[in-house]
Amino acid sequence: MHRSLPPKPAFAGLALVFAAFFFAAGAPTPLLSLRQQEWGFSAGTLSFAFSVYALALLAALLVAGSLSDHLGRRPVMLLALYGELISMVMFLAAPTITWVILARALQGIATGLATGAFNAAIQEQAPGSLKKLAGNLAGASVAGGLGLGALVTGAAVQFTADANTLIFAILAGAMVLGIIFVSFTSETAVTRPGAVRSLTPRLSIPGKIRREFAAGLPLHIAGWMFPALFLGLSPALLRVHFALDGGLVAGFTAFLGPFSAAVASLVFGRYPARHSSLAGVSFILLGILAVLFGINATWLPAVWVGAVLGGIGFGGSFGGQIRLIAPHIQPHQRAGVFASIYAAAYLAFSVPVIIAGQLAPVWGLVPTLLAYGVTLASFAAAGIVIQAALLKSESTPKPAPARSPVTANSRPD
């Protein structure tokens, strides 16, 4: 007989295990820069090694995002944990950058599998009084895990002799503990047929939300380009432009934005969704302007301030957009709609970094980053204009319908 954990411990533990996936995703940021110095691969290879994670995660989401609806939450969560464990072992033993890229791709697939199953299981295990917290906690686990992974790994690079072995051995152990923990959680989904059919990628944007989805695209692009800048490109910026190659400064710089986003996603949830979207994208614009100023002036504190502002904006705008769309989605449309949202998000997270990595050897790192920042700022500015216009139209009282004119025959005597 399977002994299951009570809902409260299961809810808290699943959120912690889910955060471990993203801690592991943030960990390679300082290590990739270290490996570049040791192995001598190009900036383009570095950016691809970072971005292949997001591309693989997107592919897994599109193909297997609703698999747990058919097989159950626990089997898919365990499959994701085993995949993540194998990727940690590959990172641990990788002799070349090719092996790191393969490990990063497997990590993306495992995290994509985990995303749908863990999000659903956390929501379903949450006691009634914690249902609202469950959604915010899952989102905060993603951003907070990324930031903490970069920070802790950066400290390990700075203060230990073999950070790669230390970090990935610990993470491999964490995944083993996660496997044991998830094995003792109860199954919260009713299995149903159609698992193979569910692997067909589905993108859908129902007519009710098309206007809102299109209006939110500039926010998603600007919002997801922002953390990609810090997680994928900031180590090279610190080393080449600021002459800083310490692991701790790289980890701290990559930590600021995602951690600020995690806190902001919890705070902004208290405010109306449209206001959150508008305020969030405004913070993103302020953040990237501060970053561009810091790069031009070679003043790192301005870059850090920009990271915090942009992280706050990312947390507010993305959460606001989800809250604007979610109430208008029918249950049978959820998988396709969220696949569409995350397709836009992860393409914005990965493709611009890959392009920047290819351009940097031709244009130079700083001109490439300035072009990246100006592109991001343009999308953020467009998002501000669109969200402000929508807020104004929603706030303007609609005129009462005109009354039919009273005819002479209908006048009272």
Side-chain angles (χ1 to χ4, degrees):
M1 183 177 176
H2 184 267
R3 294 175 64 94
S4 299
L5 292 165
K8 275 190 179 180
F11 162 67
L14 286 174
L16 191 61
V17 175
F18 188 47
F21 277 86
F22 292 94
F23 185 103
T29 294
L31 289 170
L32 282 172
S33 180
L34 182 66
R35 290 304 194 199
Q36 185 185 27
Q37 295 176 60
E38 293 175 349
W39 294 343
F41 51 83
S42 68
T45 302
L46 175 67
S47 64
F48 181 73
F50 166 78
S51 299
V52 72
Y53 162 83
L55 294 173
L57 193 159
L58 173 59
L61 270 178
L62 292 177
V63 172
S66 59
L67 190 60
S68 71
D69 292 337
H70 301 274
L71 300 182
R73 310 297 183 214
R74 193 169 61 234
V76 177
M77 288 191 290
L78 288 171
L79 180 61
L81 280 162
Y82 279 114
E84 189 77 0
L85 175 59
I86 294 170
S87 74
M88 295 301 101
V89 174
M90 289 175 68
F91 276 120
L92 190 62
T96 65
I97 187 60
T98 302
W99 279 92
V100 171
I101 290 171
L102 290 173
R104 193 81 168 135
L106 179 57
Q107 184 183 35
I109 293 169
T111 308
L113 276 173
T115 297
F118 271 90
N119 268 293
I122 289 168
Q123 187 71 39
E124 290 157 358
Q125 290 280 9
S129 60
L130 298 176
K131 289 291 184 186
K132 185 176 180 181
L133 174 64
N136 290 334
L137 189 61
S141 295
V142 174
L146 284 169
L148 287 172
L151 180 63
V152 173
T153 306
V157 169
Q158 186 78 39
F159 299 116
T160 67
D162 190 355
N164 188 80
T165 299
L166 176 66
I167 291 296
F168 288 115
I170 291 172
L171 283 170
M175 296 308 154
V176 171
L177 292 176
I179 289 168
I180 296 169
F181 180 86
V182 169
S183 298
F184 284 94
T185 60
S186 60
E187 180 55 67
T188 55
V190 178
T191 58
R192 54 190 174 92
V196 175
R197 192 168 58 252
S198 76
L199 298 178
T200 303
R202 288 178 295 165
L203 295 175
S204 69
I205 308 170
K208 269 187 175 182
I209 67 163
R210 281 177 191 165
R211 179 171 173 261
E212 194 66 67
F213 181 86
L217 280 176
L219 277 75
H220 294 318
I221 294 171
W224 285 81
M225 280 181 71
F226 199 93
L229 169 64
F230 282 89
L231 289 166
L233 300 171
S234 67
L237 173 69
L238 291 169
R239 190 177 68 255
V240 174
H241 188 56
F242 290 94
L244 296 169
D245 58 4
L248 186 58
V249 70
F252 179 72
T253 303
F255 157 82
L256 286 171
F259 185 78
S260 300
V263 175
S265 66
L266 298 174
V267 174
F268 273 97
R270 305 173 186 174
Y271 298 95
R274 181 72 66 198
H275 291 80
S276 295
S277 295
L278 178 56
V281 74
S282 300
F283 272 108
I284 291 171
L285 181 60
L286 289 173
I288 194 59
L289 291 177
V291 170
L292 291 175
F293 172 77
I295 293 173
N296 272 315
T298 319
W299 190 34
L300 189 55
V303 175
W304 287 341
V305 169
V308 172
L309 292 173
I312 291 170
F314 175 49
S317 64
F318 188 68
Q321 284 298 295
I322 296 296
R323 287 188 287 129
L324 283 166
I325 284 176
H328 306 290
I329 308 172
Q330 298 300 316
H332 67 280
Q333 298 171 332
R334 280 182 191 142
V337 169
F338 280 98
S340 301
I341 291 171
Y342 280 102
Y346 282 110
L347 286 172
F349 187 75
S350 56
V351 173
V353 171
I354 293 174
I355 294 172
Q358 299 303 316
L359 290 176
V362 181
W363 291 3
L365 179 63
V366 171
T368 300
L369 290 178
L370 292 177
Y372 185 104
V374 169
T375 303
L376 196 164
S378 300
F379 280 108
I384 291 172
V385 172
I386 293 168
Q387 295 301 313
L390 289 173
L391 180 60
K392 183 178 179 181
S393 68
E394 291 165 359
S395 303
T396 303
K398 292 180 173 58
R403 298 179 62 184
S404 300
V406 179
T407 62
N409 291 336
S410 64
R411 288 175 186 162
D413 295 334

